[in-house]
Amino acid sequence: MSINQLIELTRRSFRTTSAVINTIGQNIANENTEGFSRRRVSLESASIASPGVQVVTPMGTSTGIGVSIGDIDRVRDQVLAAATWEANAGLGASDEEARILSALENLFPVNSDASLTNQLSRFWDGWSDVADTPTSLSARVALINRAQSLTLTLNRISTDIDRLQDDSIAQLSQTVVDFNFRLDEIGRLNQRIATGRAANAPDLAGEDRRDQLVKELSEMAPLQIQLDDQGMYNVTIGGMVVVQGDTVEHLDLDTTGVLPTLTFESSGISFNPTPGDDGRLGALMRALTVAYPDARQQLDDLASTLVDRINTLHSNGFGLDGNTGLNFFDPAGVTAGTIALSTDIADPRSIAASDDPDPTVLSDNDTALAILAERTVDQAPLGDVSFEEHAINMTSEIGAQVQRANDQYEGHLAVVNYLGALERGVSAVSINEELSNLILYQQTFAAAARVLSTAQSMMDTLLSLP
């Protein structure tokens, strides 16, 4: 081996060893950086046949001139990453659904005097007291107070559902904005990454950032990722391409209708992935189009049936003052949000407890008993159950939905954690491993320096010859 070869191979050794040590330092610095995949330098043996190398060697000597950098890439299992992204959609959906349904469940407390079931029970007990003492003004005043509490409870729950709906619409709007913003950034990164690869200068930080964006998007919606020959991601949702190269398809939210709609902007096709695996966007859409409307409808059915049945019986009865044809509830308020007492019973004596038009028959309580009997009657508009059973079933159903959402969340979380642990086992930085490599390449650098020192000594010897 010539002295020139020695100098060339030590020069290459210094450059490659410096690059490896730089990569090790980058790994150590980013040990706790979220989304960072550790870097790995691939080394190759260099030959005098390499382009641009002009080294003449004597016959029979080594043709190698040291080491060169083959590639610097990220250590990452793309299959595990894709599996984690797919599992994230179910995790995001169940987490969001559990949060929404828990907030809805809180509107229907079970063990509380202010609960809907307790208010209904107290309302019927008020009619029972009037039936027991039809001439008692105090019993009638108490009934009015209990009926007022019931209407206010229905009003409050309806208002709270409206508030939850408004909050969810605001959150959905912001989530769509965040989703579209990330799509745009992935499109820009795709172009930058492809340009870097074409120039043999891969943008590894950009690839890390793109993977982090995909992870965040995967919690919002179910994604499928394909990697093309240029290193760009093609992103699809249920067969609809939302990112192809640097071309992006946004989601469009319309809240002007009775129910919100979410579509792909240019095609107008509805965003409609499989329920349960549809991410936070899907969970929010289902809350706004199913959960809240169903809860409100059940409340409205309860209110309208209550108004209809009580008013029908009450208007056929007679008060202590002999008046008849009066409404107990305001007939215009047939929803949970508008139900109210009628001004007809502003005077407690106007409450109809009797079915006898003779005001002298003060002890008659047939109308009060008929109204009280409605407590246990199965009401067709409520699904052939009583008023109180309807309220109990509604509360129980929401509670069961919360439990299912929490169970699904726990299941998805276990899968995501398992896949995440496997993925981190491949791509995460190990400080012990990096320090071991650092010591190894320190020694390599020092050894290359010794070779260069030897070459210099040989050159000095040659130059000193006469």
Side-chain angles (χ1 to χ4, degrees):
M1 176 176 287
S2 68
I3 295 176
N4 284 342
Q5 275 184 282
L6 287 175
I7 295 173
E8 176 65 17
L9 70 84
T10 51
R11 181 181 68 83
R12 287 174 174 268
S13 180
F14 286 145
R15 291 178 61 187
T16 55
T17 303
S18 295
V20 173
I21 292 175
N22 181 277
T23 301
I24 292 172
Q26 179 81 347
N27 288 340
I28 292 174
N30 288 279
E31 179 198 10
N32 297 314
T33 302
E34 185 178 2
F36 178 83
S37 297
R38 65 188 175 95
R39 304 334 189 207
R40 176 179 57 195
V41 180
S42 300
L43 302 180
E44 296 177 351
S45 177
S47 167
I48 61 171
S50 300
V53 176
Q54 298 294 327
V55 178
V56 179
T57 60
M59 291 293 295
T61 61
S62 171
T63 60
I65 54 172
V67 65
S68 64
I69 298 173
D71 194 13
I72 301 177
D73 57 6
R74 301 182 304 152
V75 180
R76 187 166 180 79
D77 190 319
Q78 197 66 26
V79 174
L80 280 176
T84 303
W85 294 335
E86 290 181 10
N88 273 340
L91 179 65
S94 57
D95 183 35
E96 193 66 38
E97 191 164 34
R99 184 192 64 80
I100 290 170
L101 292 174
S102 293
L104 187 59
E105 184 185 32
N106 288 336
L107 305 184
F108 300 88
V110 178
N111 299 318
S112 170
D113 290 339
S115 69
L116 179 58
T117 52
N118 283 340
Q119 291 298 320
L120 277 169
S121 179
R122 285 168 54 80
F123 171 72
W124 294 116
D125 289 344
W127 277 108
S128 177
D129 292 341
V130 171
D132 290 341
T133 56
T135 61
S136 171
L137 283 179
S138 61
R140 290 163 177 261
V141 170
L143 171 61
I144 290 175
N145 289 335
R146 293 181 179 189
Q148 185 71 38
S149 295
L150 174 59
T151 60
L152 291 176
T153 296
L154 288 167
N155 296 161
R156 173 188 58 78
I157 296 175
S158 179
T159 300
D160 286 345
I161 291 177
D162 289 340
R163 176 181 53 78
L164 288 179
Q165 178 173 296
D166 291 342
D167 290 346
S168 293
I169 288 175
Q171 185 174 358
L172 177 60
S173 298
Q174 185 59 53
T175 303
V176 170
V177 170
D178 293 342
F179 189 85
N180 289 337
F181 177 81
R182 284 164 174 77
L183 291 181
D184 288 336
E185 190 170 354
I186 288 175
R188 291 192 295 270
L189 285 170
N190 266 345
Q191 189 62 49
R192 198 173 85 189
I193 289 167
T195 301
R197 284 180 175 270
N200 200 28
D203 183 2
L204 301 184
E207 293 182 22
D208 279 344
R209 174 59 182 164
R210 184 178 62 180
D211 284 346
Q212 184 63 22
L213 289 169
V214 169
K215 179 183 177 181
E216 294 170 2
L217 284 176
S218 68
E219 291 189 6
M220 302 180 194
L223 308 178
Q224 294 79 46
I225 307 295
Q226 290 183 330
L227 183 66
D228 68 14
D229 294 338
Q230 296 177 291
M232 293 192 287
Y233 279 174
N234 294 325
V235 184
T236 60
I237 300 175
M240 178 62 65
V241 178
V242 292
V243 178
Q244 186 170 25
D246 59 354
T247 303
V248 174
E249 171 76 13
H250 286 161
L251 289 176
D252 180 59
L253 177 66
D254 184 1
T255 59
T256 59
V258 176
L259 295 176
T261 58
L262 186 60
T263 58
F264 295 99
E265 191 172 57
S266 63
S267 66
I269 296 175
S270 296
F271 173 87
N272 191 30
T274 304
D277 291 317
D278 46 2
R280 296 187 183 277
L281 285 170
L284 286 164
M285 282 297 295
R286 280 184 283 112
L288 291 166
T289 58
V290 179
Y292 297 148
D294 281 358
R296 180 178 288 104
Q297 187 61 57
Q298 292 187 63
L299 276 177
D300 288 346
D301 289 344
L302 176 64
S304 63
T305 305
L306 192 66
V307 170
D308 176 64
R309 294 306 304 147
I310 301 301
N311 279 355
T312 297
L313 295 170
H314 189 271
S315 62
N316 290 323
F318 297 85
L320 290 176
D321 51 10
N323 289 329
T324 189
L326 304 180
N327 288 309
F328 188 86
F329 291 108
D330 183 351
V334 292
T335 66
T338 59
I339 187 173
L341 297 184
S342 172
T343 56
D344 291 349
I345 60 167
D347 184 348
R349 292 177 300 175
S350 299
I351 293 177
S354 171
D355 66 352
D356 195 322
D358 186 355
T360 62
V361 186
L362 300 178
S363 61
D364 184 79
N365 63 353
D366 288 347
T367 296
L369 288 174
I371 292 175
L372 180 60
E374 288 294 310
R375 180 176 192 170
T376 58
V377 172
D378 292 340
Q379 306 291 334
L382 302 182
D384 291 322
V385 296
S386 69
F387 290 103
E388 288 172 286
E389 287 175 329
H390 178 76
I392 292 171
N393 291 344
M394 180 168 49
T395 303
S396 299
E397 182 179 346
I398 295 173
Q401 291 174 354
V402 172
Q403 185 60 52
R404 284 196 298 270
N406 283 327
D407 290 343
Q408 290 172 355
Y409 173 77
E410 293 297 331
H412 287 302
L413 182 62
V415 172
V416 169
N417 285 343
Y418 174 72
L419 292 173
L422 292 177
E423 187 183 0
R424 287 191 298 274
V426 174
S427 61
V429 174
S430 168
I431 290 296
N432 290 336
E433 181 181 348
E434 298 301 328
L435 289 178
S436 296
N437 289 336
L438 182 61
I439 294 172
L440 174 64
Y441 283 99
Q442 271 184 304
Q443 294 173 341
T444 300
F445 194 92
R450 291 290 299 275
V451 173
L452 181 60
S453 176
T454 300
Q456 183 180 5
S457 177
M458 294 169 62
M459 181 64 73
D460 290 342
T461 300
L462 285 175
L463 292 175
S464 66
L465 292 175

